[in-house]
Each structure stands twice: as structure tokens, then as C-alpha cells.
Amino acid sequence: MDLMRISAPLTGTVIAAAVLLAAPGTAAAAPCVSPLHPVASLAAERLATADLVAAAKWGTGSPIDDPAREQQVLDAVAAQAAQLGADPDEARRVFRDQIEANKIVQRGLFARWAAHPEQAPTTKPDLNVVRQTINRINTDLVRALADTTAERDTPACGPELATAVVEVHHEKHPDLLHTGALVRSLVSACRV
């Protein structure tokens, strides 16, 4: 995660969330629902597709970086944001982070599989089917971003987003790779 790109207040919030996630016994606490929970939950759902994308690409020589596909995604989410009356440039920024986080997971999985070939996937998901899932999640995430514009435009966004990340972590129990990528995927979610 590039901490230099994150504002100072959000950096502190992200670090606090990481400490909470690592603290023993925090999983037993009943989280309250953050207004940004839908954004964090959809970002985590989108990140879960990285495993399938990595499995589809593993051993094929297909690169993790796919600038043409990335541009298609960015153009599509910007158009969807504009249709909803939301900021298309903001959608591009947030989804650039989503894409980079997805690639963090893919690179992490590739490294794991290279080091432990017995853990590598033995079947290849159909990337076109996976992309349909990603497109559905993208649409839902653009809507969630549009629906939370007011919440993401306040100084409370950082703490609320950290709370949402903790809530999602407690619900989905991602590993360290996916948790770090989730935090990275939300760097641009707050507007302040």
C-alpha cells in the first residue's frame, strides 16, 4: 500500500483499523454498522474475484496487468457514475484503487503458488464468466459510492471507513493478503 498517497488523517485511521484487526479478541466484539459498510463490503467482494482471475491466468503466460481491460472498467464506471449524477472522475479514482488492490492479491497468489506449487490451482475458471461477476459488483459499487457521497464528504469518513473495514473483516475473515488489499482498495473512497 502506498501510504504517501493517503492523507494524514486517513493514514492514522487505516493504521488504527489494522491494529484492531490484529488485536486478539476483536473478532468477538459485535460491530455496529457503519454507513460505509456497503462500500467496504462490495470492495471485499470484488477483491474475492482476484483469486479467480489469478487462477484463470496462472500458468498461461497472461500478464496480471491488463491495461486494455483496466481502461474498459474505468470508462464503464465513469459512465455509470455520470448516469447516477455522481462524479465520473471520482469513480475512476476509486476504481483505479480497486484494480490496483486486485493486482496486489493476484501477485501475492502468484508468489504463493510459485513457492508452494502444491497450493496452485488445478482448474482454470472462465475469465469471461469471472468478468461478468466483476461487472455486476462494479455496478453495485458505483451505486454504493453514489449513495454514500454525503458520508464520504465529511471528516468522519476516515473513521467510518475504518469501522466498515473492521466490520467486513469480522464478517468475511479474509487473510492478511486480502485484508491489506481491502485497505488499499479504499484509499480514495473518502472525498476529504
Side-chain angles (χ1 to χ4, degrees):
M1 178 173 57
D2 184 6
L3 291 177
M4 300 308 292
R5 289 193 51 220
I6 305 174
S7 68
L10 187 55
T11 301
T13 302
V14 168
I15 291 169
V19 168
L20 281 173
L21 293 174
T26 56
C32 59
V33 176
S34 165
L36 297 177
H37 184 273
V39 173
S41 183
L42 287 163
E45 186 178 345
R46 190 178 193 287
L47 273 175
T49 66
D51 297 53
L52 298 171
V53 173
K57 292 179 178 181
W58 176 252
T60 66
S62 295
I64 290 173
D65 292 282
D66 186 350
R69 168 68 179 162
E70 293 169 22
Q71 191 60 52
Q72 289 173 345
V73 169
L74 296 175
D75 291 345
V77 298
Q80 290 171 355
Q83 289 175 346
L84 293 171
D87 183 348
D89 292 329
E90 179 182 46
R92 285 181 192 277
R93 279 191 304 277
V94 170
F95 276 87
R96 170 55 57 202
D97 291 338
Q98 297 294 312
I99 290 166
E100 293 306 315
N102 195 287
K103 291 190 289 189
I104 288 170
V105 172
Q106 290 180 56
R107 286 187 184 102
L109 291 173
F110 271 35
R112 181 183 303 162
W113 298 335
H116 303 282
E118 72 281 1
Q119 295 178 9
T122 56
T123 60
K124 302 229 177 285
D126 182 338
L127 198 50
N128 291 321
V129 172
V130 176
R131 286 179 173 166
Q132 290 173 6
T133 300
I134 293 170
N135 291 342
R136 178 196 51 79
I137 296 167
N138 287 353
T139 298
D140 293 345
L141 184 52
V142 169
R143 182 168 304 286
L145 290 167
D147 291 347
T148 59
T149 299
E151 291 84 354
R152 293 181 308 99
D153 203 18
T154 70
C157 180
E160 285 294 342
L161 192 57
T163 298
V165 168
V166 170
E167 291 169 355
V168 168
H169 184 270
H170 289 296
E171 292 167 5
K172 300 183 186 289
H173 307 286
D175 62 12
L176 186 58
L177 174 62
H178 289 80
T179 299
L182 176 59
V183 171
R184 170 62 178 92
S185 77
L186 295 168
V187 167
S188 298
C190 291
R191 303 180 82 198
V192 291

XYZ file of all heavy atoms in Angstrom, residues 70-128:
460
model
N -8.411 -2.761 -18.014
C -8.494 -1.751 -16.965
C -9.160 -0.485 -17.492
O -10.016 0.101 -16.820
C -7.102 -1.443 -16.415
C -6.487 -2.606 -15.670
C -5.018 -2.422 -15.334
O -4.540 -1.264 -15.285
O -4.337 -3.439 -15.098
N -8.795 -0.067 -18.698
C -9.398 1.131 -19.287
C -10.885 0.917 -19.541
O -11.686 1.822 -19.325
C -8.674 1.523 -20.581
C -9.084 2.882 -21.089
C -8.781 3.985 -20.086
O -7.669 4.114 -19.596
N -9.779 4.801 -19.767
N -11.268 -0.273 -19.993
C -12.695 -0.583 -20.183
C -13.456 -0.438 -18.874
O -14.550 0.139 -18.845
C -12.870 -2.008 -20.703
C -12.439 -2.240 -22.118
C -12.496 -3.728 -22.483
O -12.599 -4.605 -21.633
N -12.399 -4.009 -23.772
N -12.887 -0.964 -17.795
C -13.536 -0.874 -16.482
C -13.666 0.583 -16.060
O -14.750 1.025 -15.636
C -12.759 -1.688 -15.425
C -13.269 -1.395 -14.017
C -12.847 -3.176 -15.720
N -12.588 1.343 -16.182
C -12.612 2.745 -15.765
C -13.615 3.556 -16.585
O -14.345 4.396 -16.031
C -11.211 3.347 -15.853
C -10.179 2.731 -14.902
C -8.799 3.314 -15.172
C -10.583 2.913 -13.449
N -13.671 3.313 -17.883
C -14.640 4.019 -18.734
C -16.076 3.644 -18.363
O -16.959 4.504 -18.299
C -14.387 3.717 -20.212
C -13.090 4.329 -20.724
O -12.520 5.221 -20.040
O -12.629 3.898 -21.810
N -16.304 2.361 -18.101
C -17.657 1.898 -17.763
C -18.127 2.490 -16.443
O -19.272 2.953 -16.334
C -17.697 0.372 -17.707
N -17.259 2.486 -15.415
C -17.702 3.010 -14.120
C -17.876 4.520 -14.163
O -18.776 5.060 -13.499
C -16.782 2.577 -12.957
C -16.790 1.059 -12.811
C -15.378 3.128 -13.084
N -17.071 5.210 -14.960
C -17.241 6.658 -15.105
C -18.585 6.954 -15.766
O -19.310 7.864 -15.333
C -16.098 7.246 -15.924
N -18.952 6.190 -16.779
C -20.247 6.377 -17.445
C -21.397 6.069 -16.494
O -22.399 6.801 -16.457
C -20.330 5.489 -18.690
N -21.267 5.007 -15.704
C -22.316 4.668 -14.734
C -22.458 5.768 -13.682
O -23.575 6.128 -13.303
C -22.008 3.332 -14.052
C -22.148 2.147 -14.974
C -21.623 0.859 -14.341
O -21.081 0.848 -13.255
N -21.792 -0.245 -15.062
N -21.336 6.292 -13.219
C -21.378 7.366 -12.229
C -22.088 8.588 -12.808
O -22.941 9.195 -12.142
C -19.968 7.725 -11.770
N -21.754 8.935 -14.037
C -22.385 10.090 -14.672
C -23.897 9.886 -14.786
O -24.684 10.818 -14.549
C -21.777 10.340 -16.045
N -24.337 8.680 -15.124
C -25.776 8.390 -15.212
C -26.469 8.563 -13.871
O -27.649 8.907 -13.819
C -26.007 6.980 -15.733
C -25.687 6.794 -17.190
C -25.825 5.340 -17.634
O -25.910 4.428 -16.828
N -25.827 5.136 -18.945
N -25.741 8.309 -12.792
C -26.315 8.436 -11.443
C -26.177 9.847 -10.885
O -26.603 10.119 -9.766
C -25.633 7.450 -10.490
C -25.886 5.974 -10.767
C -24.983 5.110 -9.892
C -27.348 5.644 -10.522
N -25.555 10.734 -11.645
C -25.329 12.092 -11.171
C -24.144 12.197 -10.226
O -23.991 13.184 -9.514
N -23.298 11.184 -10.229
C -22.099 11.179 -9.387
C -20.901 11.638 -10.212
O -20.982 11.771 -11.438
C -21.868 9.782 -8.822
N -19.807 11.868 -9.548
C -18.593 12.378 -10.177
C -17.855 11.255 -10.920
O -17.330 10.337 -10.279
C -17.696 12.983 -9.097
C -16.433 13.617 -9.646
O -16.101 13.418 -10.831
O -15.749 14.314 -8.867
N -17.794 11.313 -12.253
C -17.102 10.269 -13.013
C -15.610 10.182 -12.696
O -15.035 9.089 -12.674
C -17.323 10.651 -14.476
C -18.329 11.724 -14.489
C -18.409 12.303 -13.122
N -14.972 11.329 -12.441
C -13.540 11.312 -12.122
C -13.292 10.624 -10.778
O -12.310 9.906 -10.617
C -12.967 12.730 -12.103
C -12.945 13.352 -13.497
O -12.796 12.593 -14.485
O -13.073 14.586 -13.599
N -14.191 10.840 -9.833
C -14.072 10.168 -8.546
C -14.232 8.659 -8.729
O -13.481 7.872 -8.145
C -15.128 10.690 -7.576
C -15.062 10.001 -6.232
C -16.137 10.479 -5.297
O -17.310 10.592 -5.714
O -15.800 10.718 -4.123
N -15.173 8.245 -9.542
C -15.369 6.816 -9.813
C -14.095 6.225 -10.411
O -13.670 5.133 -10.016
C -16.555 6.593 -10.745
N -13.489 6.940 -11.318
C -12.224 6.461 -11.910
C -11.143 6.291 -10.840
O -10.422 5.295 -10.829
C -11.725 7.434 -12.987
C -12.475 7.368 -14.281
C -11.866 8.375 -15.279
N -12.701 8.547 -16.434
C -12.700 7.740 -17.480
N -11.906 6.700 -17.513
N -13.497 7.972 -18.506
N -11.018 7.288 -9.937
C -10.001 7.202 -8.875
C -10.250 6.003 -7.968
O -9.330 5.239 -7.667
C -9.995 8.485 -8.030
C -9.249 9.637 -8.636
C -9.063 10.773 -7.650
N -10.312 11.265 -7.071
C -11.131 12.144 -7.639
N -10.824 12.654 -8.822
N -12.215 12.534 -7.027
N -11.486 5.853 -7.527
C -11.813 4.754 -6.614
C -11.584 3.414 -7.309
O -11.017 2.488 -6.718
C -13.260 4.881 -6.096
C -13.685 3.630 -5.351
C -13.397 6.117 -5.197
N -11.980 3.307 -8.557
C -11.819 2.031 -9.258
C -10.373 1.786 -9.688
O -9.977 0.629 -9.831
C -12.812 1.900 -10.417
C -14.134 1.400 -9.930
C -15.095 2.267 -9.460
C -14.399 0.033 -9.892
C -16.304 1.800 -8.968
C -15.602 -0.440 -9.406
C -16.560 0.441 -8.939
N -9.590 2.818 -9.850
C -8.156 2.610 -10.082
C -7.584 1.911 -8.845
O -6.806 0.975 -8.942
C -7.453 3.951 -10.349
C -5.943 3.909 -10.373
C -5.285 2.942 -11.308
N -5.655 3.083 -12.690
C -5.530 2.103 -13.593
N -5.025 0.922 -13.246
N -5.888 2.274 -14.834
N -8.015 2.351 -7.663
C -7.576 1.699 -6.422
C -8.080 0.265 -6.339
O -7.368 -0.626 -5.880
C -8.048 2.488 -5.195
C -7.352 3.828 -5.054
O -6.249 4.001 -5.616
O -7.915 4.707 -4.373
N -9.321 0.037 -6.775
C -9.873 -1.321 -6.782
C -9.018 -2.238 -7.660
O -8.699 -3.368 -7.282
C -11.318 -1.319 -7.303
C -12.303 -0.536 -6.456
C -12.505 -1.152 -5.103
O -12.724 -2.357 -4.981
N -12.420 -0.351 -4.068
N -8.663 -1.742 -8.828
C -7.869 -2.523 -9.776
C -6.481 -2.811 -9.200
O -5.982 -3.940 -9.275
C -7.787 -1.787 -11.133
C -9.160 -1.814 -11.825
C -6.697 -2.385 -12.024
C -9.295 -0.854 -13.001
N -5.850 -1.786 -8.624
C -4.507 -1.983 -8.052
C -4.556 -2.976 -6.896
O -3.663 -3.816 -6.766
C -3.904 -0.650 -7.620
C -3.584 0.283 -8.781
C -2.691 -0.348 -9.846
O -1.689 -1.006 -9.486
O -2.989 -0.194 -11.047
N -5.579 -2.901 -6.075
C -5.720 -3.849 -4.960
C -5.916 -5.271 -5.484
O -5.361 -6.232 -4.940
C -6.884 -3.433 -4.066
N -6.703 -5.403 -6.550
C -6.925 -6.711 -7.151
C -5.601 -7.296 -7.645
O -5.331 -8.490 -7.460
C -7.942 -6.579 -8.300
C -8.510 -7.891 -8.739
O -7.830 -8.684 -9.376
N -9.781 -8.121 -8.419
N -4.765 -6.447 -8.216
C -3.463 -6.916 -8.711
C -2.525 -7.287 -7.561
O -1.716 -8.199 -7.707
C -2.840 -5.862 -9.635
C -3.610 -5.727 -10.947
C -2.902 -4.894 -11.980
C -2.869 -3.440 -11.672
N -2.359 -2.629 -12.805
N -2.663 -6.616 -6.414
C -1.875 -6.996 -5.233
C -2.204 -8.428 -4.844
O -1.308 -9.233 -4.568
C -2.148 -6.030 -4.060
C -1.502 -4.670 -4.329
C -1.662 -6.622 -2.734
C -1.913 -3.584 -3.345
N -3.495 -8.759 -4.840
C -3.909 -10.125 -4.492
C -3.392 -11.104 -5.541
O -2.835 -12.159 -5.203
C -5.439 -10.227 -4.338
C -5.877 -11.680 -4.180
C -5.911 -9.407 -3.136
N -3.552 -10.780 -6.809
C -3.075 -11.684 -7.853
C -1.569 -11.923 -7.736
O -1.112 -13.077 -7.815
C -3.399 -11.112 -9.238
C -4.873 -11.122 -9.588
C -5.114 -10.554 -10.970
O -4.532 -11.036 -11.942
N -5.952 -9.537 -11.061
N -0.795 -10.867 -7.523
C 0.662 -11.022 -7.393
C 1.004 -11.851 -6.152
O 1.913 -12.682 -6.189
C 1.339 -9.658 -7.335
C 1.364 -8.961 -8.679
C 2.189 -7.677 -8.646
N 2.091 -7.032 -9.931
C 1.310 -5.983 -10.207
N 0.577 -5.425 -9.264
N 1.283 -5.470 -11.419
N 0.282 -11.603 -5.063
C 0.513 -12.373 -3.843
C 0.220 -13.844 -4.042
O 0.971 -14.715 -3.577
N -0.866 -14.142 -4.750
C -1.208 -15.537 -5.019
C -0.193 -16.182 -5.953
O 0.216 -17.331 -5.738
C -2.622 -15.646 -5.589
C -3.744 -15.313 -4.610
C -5.087 -15.284 -5.326
C -3.763 -16.299 -3.441
N 0.223 -15.463 -6.982
C 1.243 -15.998 -7.892
C 2.517 -16.345 -7.120
O 3.126 -17.396 -7.327
C 1.558 -15.002 -9.008
C 0.687 -15.128 -10.232
C -0.655 -15.476 -10.155
C 1.222 -14.877 -11.486
C -1.437 -15.573 -11.287
C 0.445 -14.980 -12.630
C -0.889 -15.331 -12.527
N 2.924 -15.450 -6.219
C 4.132 -15.704 -5.422
C 3.932 -16.925 -4.521
O 4.833 -17.767 -4.400
C 4.476 -14.472 -4.587
N 2.764 -17.026 -3.914
C 2.470 -18.175 -3.047
C 2.510 -19.469 -3.850
O 3.089 -20.466 -3.425
C 1.100 -17.998 -2.393
C 0.722 -19.129 -1.445
C -0.673 -18.960 -0.864
N -0.794 -17.689 -0.164
C -1.965 -17.130 0.129
N -3.111 -17.708 -0.206
N -2.002 -15.978 0.774
N 1.883 -19.464 -5.011
C 1.817 -20.675 -5.833
C 3.183 -21.055 -6.391
O 3.478 -22.235 -6.553
C 0.790 -20.504 -6.942
C -0.610 -20.290 -6.425
C -1.116 -20.682 -5.216
C -1.670 -19.627 -7.096
N -2.434 -20.305 -5.096
C -2.802 -19.654 -6.246
C -1.786 -19.001 -8.330
C -4.027 -19.088 -6.593
C -3.006 -18.434 -8.686
C -4.110 -18.488 -7.822
N 3.999 -20.042 -6.706
C 5.343 -20.335 -7.197
C 6.181 -20.970 -6.083
O 6.958 -21.893 -6.337
C 6.018 -19.063 -7.711
N 6.000 -20.479 -4.854
C 6.757 -21.014 -3.721
C 6.207 -22.355 -3.238
O 6.944 -23.176 -2.704
C 6.745 -20.014 -2.569
N 4.910 -22.562 -3.439
C 4.235 -23.791 -2.973
C 3.360 -24.329 -4.103
O 2.139 -24.167 -4.078
C 3.377 -23.504 -1.733
C 4.152 -22.919 -0.598
N 4.942 -23.692 0.218
C 4.277 -21.642 -0.167
C 5.512 -22.910 1.118
N 5.134 -21.667 0.907
N 3.961 -24.966 -5.094
C 3.213 -25.441 -6.257
C 2.026 -26.341 -5.903
O 1.044 -26.370 -6.639
C 4.253 -26.200 -7.080
C 5.569 -25.687 -6.625
C 5.393 -25.269 -5.208
N 2.112 -27.026 -4.769
C 1.001 -27.893 -4.370
C -0.257 -27.094 -4.025
O -1.359 -27.642 -4.005
C 1.415 -28.779 -3.180
C 1.569 -28.065 -1.853
C 2.872 -27.287 -1.654
O 3.721 -27.256 -2.579
O 3.035 -26.704 -0.582
N -0.116 -25.794 -3.793
C -1.266 -24.935 -3.496
C -1.826 -24.268 -4.748
O -2.877 -23.633 -4.691
C -0.869 -23.852 -2.484
C -0.497 -24.385 -1.125
C -0.065 -23.274 -0.179
O -0.179 -22.093 -0.459
N 0.447 -23.677 0.978
N -1.147 -24.402 -5.865
C -1.580 -23.755 -7.114
C -2.900 -24.366 -7.585
O -3.173 -25.547 -7.343
C -0.511 -23.925 -8.183
N -3.708 -23.577 -8.265
C -4.982 -24.095 -8.753
C -4.776 -25.177 -9.804
O -3.821 -25.130 -10.581
C -5.668 -22.867 -9.356
C -4.577 -21.905 -9.628
C -3.486 -22.190 -8.642
N -5.673 -26.125 -9.802
C -5.603 -27.214 -10.780
C -6.639 -27.058 -11.873
O -6.610 -27.785 -12.859
C -5.782 -28.575 -10.079
O -7.013 -28.557 -9.372
C -4.629 -28.837 -9.109
N -7.565 -26.117 -11.689
C -8.557 -25.817 -12.722
C -8.490 -24.325 -13.029
O -8.059 -23.528 -12.193
C -9.987 -26.185 -12.267
O -10.309 -25.430 -11.095
C -10.099 -27.667 -11.979
N -8.911 -23.981 -14.218
C -8.894 -22.586 -14.658
C -10.324 -22.084 -14.839
O -11.038 -22.560 -15.711
C -8.147 -22.454 -15.979
C -6.728 -22.965 -15.880
C -5.769 -21.972 -16.433
C -4.356 -22.434 -16.268
N -3.859 -22.335 -14.931
N -10.732 -21.123 -14.008
C -12.055 -20.527 -14.209
C -12.113 -19.823 -15.566
O -11.091 -19.375 -16.089
C -12.179 -19.513 -13.077
C -11.118 -19.873 -12.095
C -10.039 -20.561 -12.866
N -13.298 -19.714 -16.106
C -13.516 -18.984 -17.352
C -13.453 -17.495 -17.029
O -14.320 -16.967 -16.310
C -14.870 -19.365 -17.948
C -15.149 -18.684 -19.273
O -14.554 -17.625 -19.572
O -16.001 -19.218 -20.013
N -12.437 -16.809 -17.534
C -12.234 -15.401 -17.230
C -13.418 -14.541 -17.675
O -13.753 -13.547 -17.019
C -10.929 -14.912 -17.865
C -10.324 -13.626 -17.331
C -10.213 -13.629 -15.814
C -8.965 -13.384 -17.962
N -14.087 -14.917 -18.747
C -15.258 -14.153 -19.193
C -16.388 -14.234 -18.175
O -17.094 -13.250 -17.938
C -15.733 -14.637 -20.564
C -14.739 -14.271 -21.650
O -14.163 -13.191 -21.638
N -14.509 -15.191 -22.571
